[in-house]
Amino acid sequence: MSDQPPVPVPSREARQWAMLCHYAAFFWFLAPMIGNVVGPLLVWQLKKDLDPFVDQQGKEALNFQITFSILMMICGVLAWIIIGFPLMVLVSVVALVLVIIAGIRANEGKPYRYPFCWRLVK
């Protein structure tokens, strides 16, 4: 048996706000290149004191969206040599899938860490 105490499950409200931190990235469709960062940033800033789980998932969502934005800018530069366009599609599809997975996991009360993510916000 493990000597570690069981990890408490976040409340329903905390799980929903954590999920919304991830799904706020869909503000990308309203304001490309900034909405995906501003959405998670706003939700995280408004609800980070509600529960440590919301704080952690909000930071994770924000860090991933910053990473995604940087990658899209790099793809934009690479578009001058054609390869940037297929890379933009690939990066966007991968980001969409990861955001959906992260939101589902957060709603289940399980912390999610994005792969290939620079963690600039600590």
Side-chain angles (χ1 to χ4, degrees):
M1 302 267 322
S2 176
D3 292 335
Q4 297 179 351
V7 177
V9 177
S11 69
R12 182 174 177 264
E13 182 183 12
R15 291 184 316 217
Q16 287 178 339
W17 281 111
M19 176 184 66
L20 192 57
C21 284
H22 294 288
Y23 288 163
F26 293 126
F27 281 120
W28 164 273
F29 296 112
L30 298 175
M33 292 306 294
I34 60 167
N36 64 309
V37 174
V38 172
L41 176 65
L42 286 174
V43 175
W44 173 57
Q45 284 297 309
L46 291 171
K47 294 298 180 175
K48 67 181 178 180
D49 297 326
L50 175 71
D51 188 278
F53 183 68
V54 177
D55 184 42
Q56 178 218 19
Q57 290 301 291
K59 288 177 192 173
E60 191 67 20
L62 183 58
N63 281 325
F64 180 71
Q65 292 308 318
I66 291 169
T67 302
F68 171 71
S69 293
I70 292 169
L71 288 173
M72 290 302 282
M73 286 184 245
I74 293 169
C75 289
V77 170
L78 291 175
W80 287 96
I81 56 171
I82 311 293
I83 188 125
F85 294 114
L87 283 177
M88 277 184 200
V89 172
L90 178 66
V91 169
S92 296
V93 169
V94 168
L96 174 68
V97 169
L98 291 175
V99 167
I100 291 170
I101 291 169
I104 291 169
R105 295 279 307 235
N107 196 39
E108 293 171 347
K110 299 174 185 171
Y112 185 78
R113 284 188 56 96
Y114 288 95
F116 316 113
C117 179
W118 291 310
R119 290 177 173 78
L120 303 170
V121 179
K122 303 266 183 211

